Amino acid sequence: MTTDRRTALADAAIGVLADEGMRGLTHRAVDRAADLPPGTTSAYFRTRAALLTALVRRLVELDQAELQLAGQDSPEPRDADELTDAIAALVQRRLTGDGRRRSLARYACAVESARDPELREILVPRDNAARDAVRRFLAAHTPEAAAADVESRTLTLLACVDGLVFDRLVSGGAVPREAVRGLVAGALGGEPERSRRARRQSS
């Protein structure tokens, strides 16, 4: 029961952070969001730092579960278009519904972690089935000269995808598929088809 209550409070805290920002994350606000008596959150997490740490751990747990499931349930991408589609689907999930709320909370925590080594350590990118699928694809399709750099290309591609999600959370709207396609092309050591056409037309 204690574990379930802690999880429920951490889930409620993620919602509070997404809706009200870091300043709105208080024990009382989490009590209200969880529909629990006043003082419940502070009984489980005595300090705000403890509450924030529990929130971040739960956020990482949810993100990892999502990425693990996505990697296990989706077929291996056979070409750049299929990898683009898989990443675009993930981006869409991160910009709508519960995924959007988790994204808002995640970026708020990322900023906070710049001043908190413990949070920064929790938020370090971890391996999962989706990341492994991207790494395998790049290893299989990257030119031989760049094969030793696959891990760096994987991390850079996924960091750029995070940047697209952040940009749309702030500015609104959807991420164009062409933007994702350009990132994939860059990770493969090429350039987007649109850029190739423009270069050919200008030559």
Side-chain angles (χ1 to χ4, degrees), residues 5-125:
R5 180 59 58 85
R6 287 179 177 274
T7 299
L9 290 170
D11 287 341
I14 291 172
V16 170
L17 181 56
D19 294 340
E20 303 182 30
M22 197 61 73
R23 288 186 178 182
L25 182 64
T26 65
H27 288 82
R28 289 184 179 182
V30 175
D31 287 338
R32 290 193 298 270
D35 196 24
L36 292 170
T40 301
T41 303
S42 61
Y44 286 88
F45 306 109
R46 296 300 301 171
T47 66
R48 188 174 184 277
L51 175 61
L52 185 57
T53 298
L55 182 162
V56 173
R57 290 189 186 281
R58 176 60 173 162
L59 191 58
V60 170
E61 178 185 359
L62 291 170
D63 283 348
Q64 283 292 101
E66 177 189 47
L67 293 170
Q68 189 69 21
L69 187 63
Q72 291 173 345
D73 289 356
S74 301
E76 291 278 328
R78 294 169 296 182
D79 54 34
D81 283 336
E82 289 190 357
L83 180 59
T84 297
D85 290 340
I87 293 176
L90 173 64
V91 167
Q92 178 66 12
R93 290 196 298 273
R94 295 247 161 132
L95 287 173
T96 56
D98 287 340
R100 176 182 176 81
R101 300 183 83 201
R102 288 211 315 273
S103 293
L104 288 167
R106 185 185 311 110
Y107 292 120
C109 291
V111 172
E112 193 71 14
S113 74
R115 298 179 291 274
D116 189 323
E118 182 180 6
L119 295 185
R120 188 160 61 249
E121 177 63 26
I122 298 171
L123 288 167
V124 168

Side-chain angles (χ1 to χ4, degrees), residues 95 100 104 164-173:
L95 287 173
R100 176 182 176 81
L104 288 167
L164 285 179
V165 173
F166 177 81
D167 176 71
R168 294 304 168 169
L169 284 174
V170 173
S171 60

Side-chain angles (χ1 to χ4, degrees), residues 142-155:
T142 298
E144 185 176 350
D149 200 27
V150 165
E151 182 64 22
S152 176
R153 286 171 180 263
T154 300
L155 294 176

